[in-house]
Amino acid sequence: MSRRTRIGAMAATLAASALLVSSLGQASTATPGHHKPSHHRTVGVQVLSFNDYHGQIEAPAGSSAILGEADDPSNTVVGGGEYLATHLKKLRKGVRHSTTVAAGDLIGGSPFLSGLFHDEPAVESLNAMDLDISSVGNHEFDEGVTELLRMQNGGCHPVDGCYTDKRFRGADHQWLAANVEYKPGTRKAGRTVLPPYEIKRYQGIKVAYIGMTLEGTPEIVAQAGIRDVRFLDEARTANQLVRQLKRKGVEAFVVLLHEGGFAPGTYDECGGLSDPIKTINDNLDPEVDLLVTGHTHSPYVCPLPDARGNTRYVTSASSQGRVVNETWLQLDPRTRDVVRDKVTSTNHLVTRDVPADTRQSAIIAKWSALAAPISNRVVGTISGDITRAADRQTESGLGNLIADAQLAATSAPADGGSVAAFMNPGGVRADLTYSQVSGGEGPGEVTYGEAFAVQPFGNLVVTMDLTGDAIERLLEQQFAGDTKRFHLGVSEGFTYTYDMSRPAGDKIDPATIAINGVTLDPSATYRITTNNFLADGGDGFTVFTEGTNRAGGGDDLAALVDYMAARPQLAPAPTDRVTELP
């Protein structure tokens, strides 16, 4: 496994000086509490971290190129593998002990250039930027455990084969999966699918990096590829490993966890951290010295109290290579533990005012040449921007349009006889914008690559029978208590009304649920369409699993492409199909 060559002994004095300057210069948002204070000379360790890379080897465009006004009032243009790699090199320069880690979702939900090739380009990009360790995230399981192991260990794709004349070598970094183990009754029962931790040594002092994904991964991943594994409680898993590793002489611990929260303030602040990560932090063994998180795409640097009242930093670095966190741990050679009152942490914007990394540029050029014949083919035209909603709780023109496309693909009796379709908002990964020109096409022309970026998961369309009562219960699963979790995209002709003031499980008036103006009969059976992710109960929509007489309807991206091809100058689908009562 390749690793960076660190600075030699002749530069030790310069490295120590750089370490001291960097440590003193880090921003912090609170005075850390004390944890095994020491008056001895410490060993400084720079931990650089990011999360939710999602195969973003090219610089993100449009609204994805900025963090947004709340996180970054300057609206600085940021992100992409070429610039993340440069910033990592700049931060490492002159540092004796530097480790680069990530908190999952490095692959999956990727743009066309990486997603088309099952994220081999993303792994090649991460290898070139010298990532050391990462936790798995939910998207690492998008194509199942077997494919994740191929990403780690290498080999050609079992269906597509090799994309070049060289065998895919897999990831140089180690993915960690402490809370993902094979179920009882399977051949590998009780074993984790990937190592639970990795130990690094800095001048003889051990630091354990424990990595895992959120316990709720099965709710947001297609079931077919994870049927043999189970996902365990995050804090309980970490705490058990801490106890085991302490018996092996480890005193310093970093947890890489693909779960997070939201924190008011800018990208380098913390105005209070929300659940679920706050509760996980509260339940985590106080021996854990740093918690690197992800999943929510929210950047924050939060000094939170552990169970003993000592400050422990909880960090997150946005997504798509737009932010990188730098945390300095000071290790006491006597106690072999982190001196908590000397820990500093800050988030850095991955700006584009630096030279693009040449190795990353070469990777982009290589895969772009392979993708161009497919990517640049024009598959449709649009009359204006067709966009996602600002959040996943709001009806969107693009989400409804995808539902329309899936209904069109399955409405004929021979194709499934569907009367309504539903789309999950998390499956809509990019906008269709009129002015975007990605392959020499004209404004308003949509290329295959642009369409792929909207739906990159390779899901299949599924048609099934659901009763009217089941459809009502399905719609109620959009809500959790007094909050709205998700807003399903709905196809043309499907309408309903909801009232947030009503109790959970009764926010929708059954009398308002209609197809083409006809109210649903709770006891009648209706033919409906969705993708296989939702059909397996993804995003917590378990009612879909009650569907009977299932039939496949082809690839979801093909349904969208065919829909656009048949409708030149396509406009956004209306967003008046669902009504919220005041």
Short mmCIF file of all heavy atoms in Angstrom, two decimals, residues 56 60-66 109-112 320 322 379 381-392 394-402 425-438 441 444-456 557 560 564 570-572 575:
data_model
loop_
_atom_site.label_atom_id
_atom_site.label_comp_id
_atom_site.label_asym_id
_atom_site.label_seq_id
_atom_site.Cartn_x
_atom_site.Cartn_y
_atom_site.Cartn_z
N GLN A 56 -16.23 13.54 -6.81
CA GLN A 56 -16.21 14.88 -7.42
C GLN A 56 -14.79 15.21 -7.89
O GLN A 56 -14.13 16.12 -7.41
CB GLN A 56 -16.70 15.93 -6.43
CG GLN A 56 -16.98 17.29 -7.05
CD GLN A 56 -18.18 17.28 -7.97
OE1 GLN A 56 -19.28 16.93 -7.56
NE2 GLN A 56 -17.98 17.68 -9.22
N PRO A 60 -16.94 21.14 -8.95
CA PRO A 60 -18.39 21.27 -9.05
C PRO A 60 -18.79 22.60 -9.66
O PRO A 60 -18.07 23.61 -9.54
CB PRO A 60 -18.86 21.17 -7.59
CG PRO A 60 -17.66 21.50 -6.76
CD PRO A 60 -16.47 21.06 -7.55
N ALA A 61 -19.93 22.60 -10.33
CA ALA A 61 -20.40 23.80 -11.03
C ALA A 61 -21.71 24.29 -10.44
O ALA A 61 -22.32 23.63 -9.59
CB ALA A 61 -20.58 23.48 -12.52
N GLY A 62 -22.13 25.46 -10.89
CA GLY A 62 -23.40 26.03 -10.47
C GLY A 62 -23.48 26.28 -8.98
O GLY A 62 -22.50 26.69 -8.35
N SER A 63 -24.63 25.99 -8.39
CA SER A 63 -24.82 26.22 -6.96
C SER A 63 -23.93 25.33 -6.11
O SER A 63 -23.64 25.65 -4.95
CB SER A 63 -26.28 26.00 -6.58
OG SER A 63 -26.68 24.67 -6.86
N SER A 64 -23.46 24.22 -6.67
CA SER A 64 -22.58 23.32 -5.92
C SER A 64 -21.17 23.88 -5.79
O SER A 64 -20.37 23.35 -5.01
CB SER A 64 -22.52 21.95 -6.60
OG SER A 64 -23.78 21.31 -6.58
N ALA A 65 -20.85 24.93 -6.53
CA ALA A 65 -19.50 25.50 -6.49
C ALA A 65 -19.30 26.44 -5.30
O ALA A 65 -18.18 26.92 -5.09
CB ALA A 65 -19.22 26.24 -7.79
N ILE A 66 -20.35 26.70 -4.54
CA ILE A 66 -20.24 27.53 -3.34
C ILE A 66 -20.92 26.80 -2.19
O ILE A 66 -21.73 25.90 -2.41
CB ILE A 66 -20.88 28.92 -3.54
CG1 ILE A 66 -22.36 28.77 -3.92
CG2 ILE A 66 -20.12 29.75 -4.56
CD1 ILE A 66 -23.11 30.10 -4.01
N GLY A 109 -23.30 8.18 -5.64
CA GLY A 109 -23.95 9.47 -5.87
C GLY A 109 -23.03 10.42 -6.62
O GLY A 109 -23.07 11.63 -6.42
N SER A 110 -22.21 9.85 -7.50
CA SER A 110 -21.13 10.60 -8.15
C SER A 110 -21.58 11.21 -9.48
O SER A 110 -22.49 10.70 -10.13
CB SER A 110 -19.93 9.67 -8.40
OG SER A 110 -19.49 9.09 -7.21
N PRO A 111 -20.89 12.29 -9.90
CA PRO A 111 -21.16 12.83 -11.23
C PRO A 111 -20.81 11.83 -12.32
O PRO A 111 -20.16 10.80 -12.08
CB PRO A 111 -20.23 14.06 -11.29
CG PRO A 111 -19.91 14.39 -9.88
CD PRO A 111 -19.92 13.08 -9.14
N PHE A 112 -21.18 12.17 -13.53
CA PHE A 112 -21.06 11.27 -14.68
C PHE A 112 -19.66 10.70 -14.83
O PHE A 112 -19.48 9.50 -15.02
CB PHE A 112 -21.47 12.01 -15.95
CG PHE A 112 -21.26 11.23 -17.22
CD1 PHE A 112 -22.19 10.28 -17.62
CD2 PHE A 112 -20.14 11.43 -18.01
CE1 PHE A 112 -22.00 9.55 -18.78
CE2 PHE A 112 -19.95 10.71 -19.17
CZ PHE A 112 -20.88 9.77 -19.57
N GLN A 320 -18.03 17.24 -1.48
CA GLN A 320 -17.51 17.47 -2.83
C GLN A 320 -16.13 18.13 -2.85
O GLN A 320 -15.79 18.85 -3.78
CB GLN A 320 -18.50 18.31 -3.66
CG GLN A 320 -19.85 17.64 -3.85
CD GLN A 320 -20.84 18.53 -4.54
OE1 GLN A 320 -21.25 19.55 -4.00
NE2 GLN A 320 -21.22 18.16 -5.74
N ARG A 322 -15.01 20.53 -0.99
CA ARG A 322 -15.10 21.99 -0.89
C ARG A 322 -14.48 22.55 0.38
O ARG A 322 -14.20 23.75 0.46
CB ARG A 322 -16.57 22.41 -1.00
CG ARG A 322 -17.20 22.06 -2.34
CD ARG A 322 -18.64 22.50 -2.44
NE ARG A 322 -19.49 21.80 -1.48
CZ ARG A 322 -20.80 22.01 -1.35
NH1 ARG A 322 -21.39 22.91 -2.13
NH2 ARG A 322 -21.51 21.34 -0.48
N VAL A 379 -29.38 14.21 -25.85
CA VAL A 379 -30.51 13.31 -25.68
C VAL A 379 -31.84 14.05 -25.56
O VAL A 379 -32.90 13.41 -25.52
CB VAL A 379 -30.32 12.41 -24.45
CG1 VAL A 379 -29.12 11.49 -24.65
CG2 VAL A 379 -30.17 13.23 -23.18
N THR A 381 -33.87 18.37 -25.24
CA THR A 381 -33.78 19.82 -25.11
C THR A 381 -34.75 20.29 -24.04
O THR A 381 -35.80 19.67 -23.81
CB THR A 381 -34.11 20.53 -26.44
OG1 THR A 381 -35.41 20.13 -26.88
CG2 THR A 381 -33.08 20.19 -27.51
N ILE A 382 -34.40 21.39 -23.38
CA ILE A 382 -35.25 21.97 -22.35
C ILE A 382 -35.48 23.44 -22.66
O ILE A 382 -34.65 24.10 -23.29
CB ILE A 382 -34.63 21.81 -20.95
CG1 ILE A 382 -33.21 22.40 -20.89
CG2 ILE A 382 -34.60 20.35 -20.55
CD1 ILE A 382 -32.56 22.33 -19.52
N SER A 383 -36.61 23.96 -22.20
CA SER A 383 -36.97 25.35 -22.48
C SER A 383 -36.44 26.31 -21.42
O SER A 383 -36.46 27.53 -21.61
CB SER A 383 -38.48 25.50 -22.59
OG SER A 383 -39.10 25.12 -21.37
N GLY A 384 -35.99 25.78 -20.30
CA GLY A 384 -35.47 26.59 -19.20
C GLY A 384 -34.89 25.69 -18.13
O GLY A 384 -34.86 24.46 -18.29
N ASP A 385 -34.44 26.26 -17.06
CA ASP A 385 -33.86 25.47 -15.98
C ASP A 385 -34.90 24.55 -15.35
O ASP A 385 -36.04 24.96 -15.10
CB ASP A 385 -33.30 26.39 -14.89
CG ASP A 385 -32.09 27.18 -15.35
OD1 ASP A 385 -31.56 26.88 -16.45
OD2 ASP A 385 -31.66 28.09 -14.62
N ILE A 386 -34.50 23.31 -15.10
CA ILE A 386 -35.35 22.35 -14.39
C ILE A 386 -34.54 21.90 -13.18
O ILE A 386 -33.52 21.22 -13.32
CB ILE A 386 -35.73 21.15 -15.27
CG1 ILE A 386 -36.37 21.63 -16.59
CG2 ILE A 386 -36.68 20.21 -14.53
CD1 ILE A 386 -36.72 20.51 -17.55
N THR A 387 -34.98 22.30 -12.00
CA THR A 387 -34.12 22.19 -10.83
C THR A 387 -34.74 21.38 -9.69
O THR A 387 -35.94 21.19 -9.62
CB THR A 387 -33.76 23.58 -10.29
OG1 THR A 387 -34.96 24.25 -9.89
CG2 THR A 387 -33.06 24.41 -11.36
N ARG A 388 -33.82 20.94 -8.82
CA ARG A 388 -34.23 20.33 -7.56
C ARG A 388 -34.72 21.41 -6.61
O ARG A 388 -34.50 22.61 -6.83
CB ARG A 388 -33.03 19.63 -6.91
CG ARG A 388 -32.40 18.54 -7.73
CD ARG A 388 -30.99 18.23 -7.22
NE ARG A 388 -30.07 19.32 -7.49
CZ ARG A 388 -28.83 19.40 -7.04
NH1 ARG A 388 -28.37 18.44 -6.25
NH2 ARG A 388 -28.05 20.42 -7.35
N ALA A 389 -35.35 21.00 -5.53
CA ALA A 389 -35.71 21.94 -4.47
C ALA A 389 -34.46 22.26 -3.65
O ALA A 389 -33.45 21.57 -3.70
CB ALA A 389 -36.79 21.34 -3.58
N ALA A 390 -34.54 23.34 -2.88
CA ALA A 390 -33.41 23.73 -2.03
C ALA A 390 -33.16 22.72 -0.94
O ALA A 390 -32.06 22.61 -0.40
CB ALA A 390 -33.66 25.11 -1.44
N ASP A 391 -34.19 21.95 -0.57
CA ASP A 391 -34.03 20.91 0.44
C ASP A 391 -34.90 19.72 0.03
O ASP A 391 -35.64 19.78 -0.94
CB ASP A 391 -34.42 21.42 1.83
CG ASP A 391 -35.83 22.00 1.86
OD1 ASP A 391 -36.78 21.30 1.43
OD2 ASP A 391 -35.99 23.14 2.31
N ARG A 392 -34.79 18.64 0.77
CA ARG A 392 -35.50 17.42 0.41
C ARG A 392 -36.90 17.36 0.99
O ARG A 392 -37.57 16.34 0.91
CB ARG A 392 -34.68 16.20 0.85
CG ARG A 392 -33.35 16.10 0.13
CD ARG A 392 -32.55 14.88 0.52
NE ARG A 392 -31.27 14.85 -0.16
CZ ARG A 392 -30.38 13.87 -0.08
NH1 ARG A 392 -30.65 12.81 0.67
NH2 ARG A 392 -29.24 13.93 -0.74
N THR A 394 -39.24 19.68 0.13
CA THR A 394 -40.04 20.58 -0.69
C THR A 394 -40.28 19.96 -2.06
O THR A 394 -39.40 19.30 -2.62
CB THR A 394 -39.30 21.93 -0.86
OG1 THR A 394 -38.96 22.44 0.43
CG2 THR A 394 -40.18 22.95 -1.59
N GLU A 395 -41.48 20.19 -2.59
CA GLU A 395 -41.81 19.71 -3.93
C GLU A 395 -40.92 20.39 -4.95
O GLU A 395 -40.65 21.59 -4.87
CB GLU A 395 -43.28 20.01 -4.23
CG GLU A 395 -43.81 19.38 -5.50
CD GLU A 395 -45.31 19.58 -5.68
OE1 GLU A 395 -45.89 20.41 -4.95
OE2 GLU A 395 -45.89 18.92 -6.55
N SER A 396 -40.44 19.62 -5.95
CA SER A 396 -39.56 20.21 -6.96
C SER A 396 -40.00 19.84 -8.36
O SER A 396 -40.57 18.77 -8.60
CB SER A 396 -38.12 19.74 -6.75
OG SER A 396 -37.91 18.43 -7.26
N GLY A 397 -39.73 20.74 -9.29
CA GLY A 397 -40.08 20.50 -10.69
C GLY A 397 -39.33 19.33 -11.29
O GLY A 397 -39.87 18.58 -12.11
N LEU A 398 -38.07 19.13 -10.87
CA LEU A 398 -37.29 18.03 -11.42
C LEU A 398 -37.71 16.70 -10.81
O LEU A 398 -37.80 15.68 -11.50
CB LEU A 398 -35.80 18.28 -11.19
CG LEU A 398 -34.83 17.29 -11.84
CD1 LEU A 398 -35.13 17.07 -13.32
CD2 LEU A 398 -33.39 17.75 -11.66
N GLY A 399 -37.98 16.67 -9.50
CA GLY A 399 -38.44 15.44 -8.88
C GLY A 399 -39.75 14.96 -9.48
O GLY A 399 -39.93 13.76 -9.75
N ASN A 400 -40.68 15.89 -9.68
CA ASN A 400 -41.96 15.52 -10.30
C ASN A 400 -41.78 15.09 -11.75
O ASN A 400 -42.45 14.17 -12.23
CB ASN A 400 -42.93 16.70 -10.23
CG ASN A 400 -43.52 16.90 -8.84
OD1 ASN A 400 -43.30 16.10 -7.94
ND2 ASN A 400 -44.26 17.98 -8.66
N LEU A 401 -40.84 15.74 -12.46
CA LEU A 401 -40.61 15.38 -13.86
C LEU A 401 -40.07 13.95 -13.97
O LEU A 401 -40.46 13.19 -14.86
CB LEU A 401 -39.63 16.36 -14.50
CG LEU A 401 -39.37 16.19 -16.00
CD1 LEU A 401 -39.19 17.54 -16.67
CD2 LEU A 401 -38.12 15.34 -16.26
N ILE A 402 -39.18 13.56 -13.07
CA ILE A 402 -38.66 12.19 -13.09
C ILE A 402 -39.79 11.20 -12.81
O ILE A 402 -39.86 10.12 -13.43
CB ILE A 402 -37.51 12.04 -12.07
CG1 ILE A 402 -36.30 12.86 -12.54
CG2 ILE A 402 -37.14 10.57 -11.89
CD1 ILE A 402 -35.20 12.95 -11.52
N PRO A 425 -36.40 12.24 -3.27
CA PRO A 425 -35.63 13.46 -3.55
C PRO A 425 -34.13 13.24 -3.49
O PRO A 425 -33.37 13.90 -4.21
CB PRO A 425 -36.10 14.43 -2.46
CG PRO A 425 -36.62 13.57 -1.36
CD PRO A 425 -37.21 12.37 -2.04
N GLY A 426 -33.66 12.30 -2.64
CA GLY A 426 -32.23 12.06 -2.55
C GLY A 426 -31.65 11.42 -3.78
O GLY A 426 -30.43 11.41 -3.97
N GLY A 427 -32.49 10.88 -4.64
CA GLY A 427 -32.03 10.28 -5.88
C GLY A 427 -31.85 11.28 -7.00
O GLY A 427 -31.40 10.91 -8.09
N VAL A 428 -32.19 12.54 -6.75
CA VAL A 428 -32.04 13.60 -7.76
C VAL A 428 -30.77 14.37 -7.40
O VAL A 428 -30.76 15.18 -6.47
CB VAL A 428 -33.26 14.54 -7.78
CG1 VAL A 428 -33.17 15.52 -8.94
CG2 VAL A 428 -34.55 13.73 -7.85
N ARG A 429 -29.69 14.16 -8.13
CA ARG A 429 -28.36 14.61 -7.69
C ARG A 429 -27.85 15.86 -8.39
O ARG A 429 -26.80 16.39 -8.00
CB ARG A 429 -27.35 13.48 -7.91
CG ARG A 429 -27.73 12.18 -7.27
CD ARG A 429 -27.90 12.27 -5.77
NE ARG A 429 -26.63 12.45 -5.07
CZ ARG A 429 -26.49 12.34 -3.76
NH1 ARG A 429 -27.55 12.05 -3.01
NH2 ARG A 429 -25.32 12.52 -3.19
N ALA A 430 -28.52 16.33 -9.42
CA ALA A 430 -28.05 17.54 -10.13
C ALA A 430 -29.23 18.19 -10.82
O ALA A 430 -30.30 17.59 -10.97
CB ALA A 430 -26.96 17.18 -11.14
N ASP A 431 -29.05 19.45 -11.23
CA ASP A 431 -30.07 20.19 -11.95
C ASP A 431 -29.84 20.09 -13.46
O ASP A 431 -28.73 19.81 -13.92
CB ASP A 431 -30.03 21.67 -11.55
CG ASP A 431 -30.28 21.88 -10.07
OD1 ASP A 431 -31.06 21.11 -9.48
OD2 ASP A 431 -29.70 22.82 -9.50
N LEU A 432 -30.89 20.34 -14.22
CA LEU A 432 -30.77 20.53 -15.66
C LEU A 432 -30.88 22.02 -15.93
O LEU A 432 -31.95 22.61 -15.73
CB LEU A 432 -31.87 19.77 -16.40
CG LEU A 432 -31.82 18.24 -16.33
CD1 LEU A 432 -33.06 17.63 -16.99
CD2 LEU A 432 -30.55 17.70 -17.01
N THR A 433 -29.79 22.65 -16.34
CA THR A 433 -29.80 24.10 -16.54
C THR A 433 -29.65 24.44 -18.02
O THR A 433 -28.87 23.81 -18.74
CB THR A 433 -28.68 24.77 -15.74
OG1 THR A 433 -27.42 24.18 -16.07
CG2 THR A 433 -28.92 24.57 -14.24
N TYR A 434 -30.38 25.45 -18.44
CA TYR A 434 -30.45 25.83 -19.85
C TYR A 434 -29.10 26.27 -20.39
O TYR A 434 -28.73 25.94 -21.52
CB TYR A 434 -31.47 26.95 -20.03
CG TYR A 434 -31.72 27.33 -21.47
CD1 TYR A 434 -32.65 26.63 -22.24
CD2 TYR A 434 -31.03 28.39 -22.07
CE1 TYR A 434 -32.87 26.96 -23.57
CE2 TYR A 434 -31.24 28.73 -23.39
CZ TYR A 434 -32.17 28.02 -24.14
OH TYR A 434 -32.39 28.34 -25.45
N SER A 435 -28.33 26.98 -19.58
CA SER A 435 -27.07 27.55 -20.07
C SER A 435 -25.89 26.60 -20.00
O SER A 435 -24.81 26.90 -20.53
CB SER A 435 -26.74 28.82 -19.28
OG SER A 435 -26.57 28.51 -17.91
N GLN A 436 -26.06 25.44 -19.35
CA GLN A 436 -24.93 24.53 -19.20
C GLN A 436 -24.50 23.95 -20.55
O GLN A 436 -25.31 23.44 -21.32
CB GLN A 436 -25.29 23.38 -18.26
CG GLN A 436 -24.14 22.41 -18.03
CD GLN A 436 -24.46 21.32 -17.03
OE1 GLN A 436 -25.61 21.23 -16.57
NE2 GLN A 436 -23.50 20.49 -16.69
N VAL A 437 -23.21 24.04 -20.83
CA VAL A 437 -22.62 23.47 -22.04
C VAL A 437 -21.44 22.62 -21.59
O VAL A 437 -20.41 23.14 -21.17
CB VAL A 437 -22.16 24.56 -23.02
CG1 VAL A 437 -21.49 23.93 -24.23
CG2 VAL A 437 -23.34 25.42 -23.46
N SER A 438 -21.58 21.32 -21.68
CA SER A 438 -20.55 20.42 -21.16
C SER A 438 -19.78 19.69 -22.23
O SER A 438 -18.69 19.16 -21.97
CB SER A 438 -21.18 19.40 -20.20
OG SER A 438 -22.18 18.66 -20.86
N GLU A 441 -22.32 21.19 -27.00
CA GLU A 441 -23.71 21.32 -27.44
C GLU A 441 -24.19 22.76 -27.27
O GLU A 441 -23.54 23.58 -26.63
CB GLU A 441 -24.60 20.35 -26.64
CG GLU A 441 -24.95 20.77 -25.22
CD GLU A 441 -23.85 20.54 -24.21
OE1 GLU A 441 -22.73 20.14 -24.61
OE2 GLU A 441 -24.11 20.77 -23.01
N GLY A 444 -29.55 24.84 -23.84
CA GLY A 444 -30.85 24.17 -23.86
C GLY A 444 -30.78 22.73 -24.30
O GLY A 444 -31.74 21.97 -24.12
N GLU A 445 -29.65 22.30 -24.88
CA GLU A 445 -29.49 20.91 -25.25
C GLU A 445 -28.94 20.13 -24.06
O GLU A 445 -28.01 20.57 -23.39
CB GLU A 445 -28.56 20.76 -26.45
CG GLU A 445 -29.15 21.31 -27.74
CD GLU A 445 -28.25 21.07 -28.94
OE1 GLU A 445 -27.01 21.13 -28.78
OE2 GLU A 445 -28.79 20.82 -30.04
N VAL A 446 -29.52 18.97 -23.80
CA VAL A 446 -29.12 18.14 -22.66
C VAL A 446 -28.33 16.94 -23.18
O VAL A 446 -28.81 16.20 -24.05
CB VAL A 446 -30.35 17.65 -21.87
CG1 VAL A 446 -29.92 16.75 -20.72
CG2 VAL A 446 -31.15 18.84 -21.36
N THR A 447 -27.13 16.75 -22.67
CA THR A 447 -26.32 15.61 -23.06
C THR A 447 -26.60 14.42 -22.15
O THR A 447 -27.16 14.56 -21.06
CB THR A 447 -24.83 15.94 -22.98
OG1 THR A 447 -24.46 16.18 -21.62
CG2 THR A 447 -24.49 17.16 -23.83
N TYR A 448 -26.15 13.26 -22.60
CA TYR A 448 -26.31 12.06 -21.78
C TYR A 448 -25.57 12.22 -20.46
O TYR A 448 -26.07 11.81 -19.40
CB TYR A 448 -25.78 10.84 -22.53
CG TYR A 448 -25.98 9.54 -21.77
CD1 TYR A 448 -27.18 8.85 -21.84
CD2 TYR A 448 -24.96 9.02 -20.98
CE1 TYR A 448 -27.37 7.67 -21.14
CE2 TYR A 448 -25.14 7.84 -20.28
CZ TYR A 448 -26.34 7.16 -20.36
OH TYR A 448 -26.53 6.01 -19.66
N GLY A 449 -24.41 12.84 -20.50
CA GLY A 449 -23.65 13.05 -19.27
C GLY A 449 -24.39 13.93 -18.28
O GLY A 449 -24.35 13.69 -17.06
N GLU A 450 -25.07 14.96 -18.78
CA GLU A 450 -25.84 15.84 -17.89
C GLU A 450 -27.04 15.11 -17.30
O GLU A 450 -27.37 15.28 -16.13
CB GLU A 450 -26.28 17.09 -18.67
CG GLU A 450 -25.12 18.00 -19.04
CD GLU A 450 -25.47 19.03 -20.11
OE1 GLU A 450 -26.61 18.97 -20.64
OE2 GLU A 450 -24.62 19.87 -20.42
N ALA A 451 -27.69 14.28 -18.12
CA ALA A 451 -28.82 13.49 -17.61
C ALA A 451 -28.33 12.47 -16.59
O ALA A 451 -28.98 12.24 -15.56
CB ALA A 451 -29.53 12.79 -18.76
N PHE A 452 -27.18 11.87 -16.85
CA PHE A 452 -26.62 10.90 -15.91
C PHE A 452 -26.35 11.54 -14.56
O PHE A 452 -26.58 10.93 -13.52
CB PHE A 452 -25.32 10.33 -16.49
CG PHE A 452 -24.69 9.24 -15.66
CD1 PHE A 452 -24.87 7.91 -15.98
CD2 PHE A 452 -23.92 9.54 -14.54
CE1 PHE A 452 -24.30 6.90 -15.22
CE2 PHE A 452 -23.34 8.54 -13.77
CZ PHE A 452 -23.53 7.22 -14.11
N ALA A 453 -25.86 12.78 -14.57
CA ALA A 453 -25.56 13.48 -13.31
C ALA A 453 -26.82 13.66 -12.47
O ALA A 453 -26.75 13.70 -11.23
CB ALA A 453 -24.93 14.83 -13.59
N VAL A 454 -27.99 13.74 -13.11
CA VAL A 454 -29.25 13.87 -12.38
C VAL A 454 -29.59 12.57 -11.68
O VAL A 454 -30.02 12.56 -10.52
CB VAL A 454 -30.38 14.28 -13.34
CG1 VAL A 454 -31.73 14.27 -12.63
CG2 VAL A 454 -30.11 15.68 -13.92
N GLN A 455 -29.41 11.44 -12.35
CA GLN A 455 -29.75 10.12 -11.79
C GLN A 455 -28.58 9.16 -11.98
O GLN A 455 -28.57 8.34 -12.91
CB GLN A 455 -30.99 9.56 -12.48
CG GLN A 455 -32.28 10.30 -12.14
CD GLN A 455 -33.49 9.61 -12.75
OE1 GLN A 455 -33.88 9.87 -13.87
NE2 GLN A 455 -34.08 8.70 -11.98
N PRO A 456 -27.58 9.23 -11.10
CA PRO A 456 -26.36 8.45 -11.32
C PRO A 456 -26.33 7.06 -10.69
O PRO A 456 -25.31 6.38 -10.78
CB PRO A 456 -25.30 9.34 -10.65
CG PRO A 456 -26.02 9.95 -9.49
CD PRO A 456 -27.44 10.18 -9.99
N LEU A 557 -32.61 5.82 -15.59
CA LEU A 557 -32.03 6.86 -16.45
C LEU A 557 -32.57 6.74 -17.87
O LEU A 557 -32.86 7.75 -18.53
CB LEU A 557 -30.51 6.77 -16.43
CG LEU A 557 -29.78 7.76 -17.33
CD1 LEU A 557 -30.13 9.20 -16.98
CD2 LEU A 557 -28.27 7.54 -17.24
N LEU A 560 -35.85 8.46 -18.14
CA LEU A 560 -35.72 9.92 -18.23
C LEU A 560 -35.26 10.34 -19.62
O LEU A 560 -35.81 11.29 -20.21
CB LEU A 560 -34.74 10.42 -17.18
CG LEU A 560 -34.44 11.93 -17.20
CD1 LEU A 560 -35.70 12.74 -16.94
CD2 LEU A 560 -33.36 12.28 -16.19
N MET A 564 -37.37 12.67 -22.33
CA MET A 564 -36.89 13.92 -22.92
C MET A 564 -36.86 13.85 -24.44
O MET A 564 -37.21 14.83 -25.12
CB MET A 564 -35.50 14.24 -22.37
CG MET A 564 -35.49 14.70 -20.93
SD MET A 564 -33.89 15.42 -20.44
CE MET A 564 -32.85 13.98 -20.55
N LEU A 570 -38.55 20.60 -23.36
CA LEU A 570 -39.21 20.14 -22.13
C LEU A 570 -39.16 21.23 -21.07
O LEU A 570 -38.12 21.88 -20.86
CB LEU A 570 -38.52 18.88 -21.63
CG LEU A 570 -39.13 18.14 -20.45
CD1 LEU A 570 -40.51 17.61 -20.82
CD2 LEU A 570 -38.22 16.99 -20.02
N ALA A 571 -40.26 21.43 -20.39
CA ALA A 571 -40.36 22.42 -19.31
C ALA A 571 -40.42 21.70 -17.97
O ALA A 571 -40.72 20.50 -17.91
CB ALA A 571 -41.61 23.28 -19.51
N PRO A 572 -40.15 22.41 -16.87
CA PRO A 572 -40.26 21.78 -15.55
C PRO A 572 -41.67 21.26 -15.30
O PRO A 572 -42.66 21.85 -15.76
CB PRO A 572 -39.91 22.91 -14.57
CG PRO A 572 -39.18 23.92 -15.38
CD PRO A 572 -39.73 23.83 -16.78
N THR A 575 -45.28 22.30 -9.81
CA THR A 575 -45.08 21.99 -8.38
C THR A 575 -46.34 22.33 -7.59
O THR A 575 -46.25 22.80 -6.44
CB THR A 575 -43.87 22.76 -7.84
OG1 THR A 575 -44.03 24.16 -8.11
CG2 THR A 575 -42.57 22.29 -8.46
#
